[in-house]
Amino acid sequence: MINPFDINSEKNFGTFYNTYYKRFVRYALYYVNDLHTAEDMTHDALLYYWEHKELLPERTDVLGYILLSVKNKCLNYLKHLQVEAEYSQKQSDLRDWEVNVRIMTLEDETYGTIFSKDIMDIVTSSLSSLPKQTQEIFILNRFKNKSRKEIAAILGVSLQKIDYHINKANNHLINRLKDYIPLLLLFFEK
């Protein structure tokens, strides 16, 4: 066996690497529980030592230095796994909460009634803020199911004017009801 303090030649480092590599891997494997990761950490620690050996004090405890390097890599790896697990748990908790809220909302029979009433209140107040002709055309089209041609004949205006007023009312209502978009699709669908 080679003296760890005399490993600073390529030949001696190769012998040192082959002698201690598996020991460091076993040490890392005990903590990270993943052979590939333990091998990568050990290889990186040994390579880092070799590339930076000139920067270390002459009487550095090489085994202790590399063991400390492997230990720190294990710590960083485990802390990273912990952060990922915490993030994953928070994401899972959020998804669970969202699903539970959706289930409760769908199971609550009064929710649909309350929600529809809220939408109708917003529609009524929004329509009242529009010009009279826009209100009238929109009500004839959406609530009384009159076609564009029928409305044009009733009011004596062009189809383009009918389209303009319906689009104006739709855009106004969509802006006011943006929080209710899923139900808007049902409300405005013909």
Side-chain angles (χ1 to χ4, degrees):
M1 182 144 79
I2 159 176
N3 180 348
F5 297 110
D6 299 329
I7 65 167
N8 291 328
S9 73
E10 285 187 42
K11 180 181 177 212
N12 288 347
F13 184 74
T15 304
F16 175 81
Y17 187 98
N18 292 331
T19 303
Y20 290 99
Y21 175 79
K22 288 184 181 179
R23 294 179 191 181
F24 289 126
V25 169
R26 278 194 306 270
Y27 174 79
L29 182 59
Y30 177 78
Y31 292 103
V32 300
N33 201 29
D34 180 278
L35 181 61
H36 182 70
T37 302
E39 289 173 340
D40 284 348
M41 288 176 175
T42 300
H43 177 76
D44 290 348
L46 289 164
L47 188 62
Y48 185 85
Y49 166 77
W50 179 252
E51 291 174 347
H52 297 90
K53 66 185 180 295
E54 290 86 22
L55 303 175
L56 299 174
E58 193 174 314
R59 300 293 290 167
T60 297
D61 174 10
V62 176
L63 288 175
Y65 178 84
I66 295 171
L67 184 63
L68 183 61
S69 180
V70 171
K71 173 191 162 198
N72 289 334
K73 288 180 181 302
C74 289
L75 276 171
N76 289 339
Y77 175 80
L78 292 173
K79 286 178 182 178
H80 179 74
L81 286 181
Q82 187 177 39
V83 167
E84 284 181 344
E86 288 171 2
Y87 176 77
S88 179
Q89 183 61 46
K90 286 179 183 176
Q91 289 299 101
S92 177
D93 291 347
L94 179 61
R95 278 192 302 276
D96 290 348
W97 178 81
E98 285 177 321
V99 168
N100 287 333
V101 166
R102 289 179 183 150
I103 289 170
M104 288 187 310
T105 301
L106 290 171
E107 288 177 343
D108 185 2
E109 294 176 20
T110 60
Y111 177 77
T113 306
I114 293 168
F115 200 64
S116 296
K117 183 183 179 317
D118 287 347
I119 289 177
M120 287 311 295
D121 288 346
I122 294 170
V123 168
T124 303
S125 70
S126 296
L127 285 177
S128 67
S129 68
L130 290 171
K132 290 290 179 205
Q133 189 173 30
T134 304
Q135 287 178 38
E136 185 178 12
I137 290 171
F138 183 82
I139 290 169
L140 286 170
N141 181 255
R142 297 295 182 188
F143 297 124
K144 296 186 179 178
N145 294 322
K146 300 285 183 193
S147 70
R148 293 169 41 246
K149 286 183 181 177
E150 291 173 321
I151 298 169
I154 292 169
L155 299 178
V157 294
S158 69
L159 286 174
Q160 289 84 5
K161 192 162 195 128
I162 301 299
D163 290 340
Y164 167 79
H165 286 287
I166 289 173
N167 286 334
K168 182 177 178 178
N170 281 340
N171 290 335
H172 182 70
L173 287 171
I174 287 171
N175 284 333
R176 295 286 301 272
L177 293 168
K178 64 184 173 237
D179 295 333
Y180 297 86
I181 292 294
L183 285 181
L184 275 178
L185 296 175
L186 295 173
F187 183 73
F188 288 112
E189 188 174 330
K190 270 209 155 209

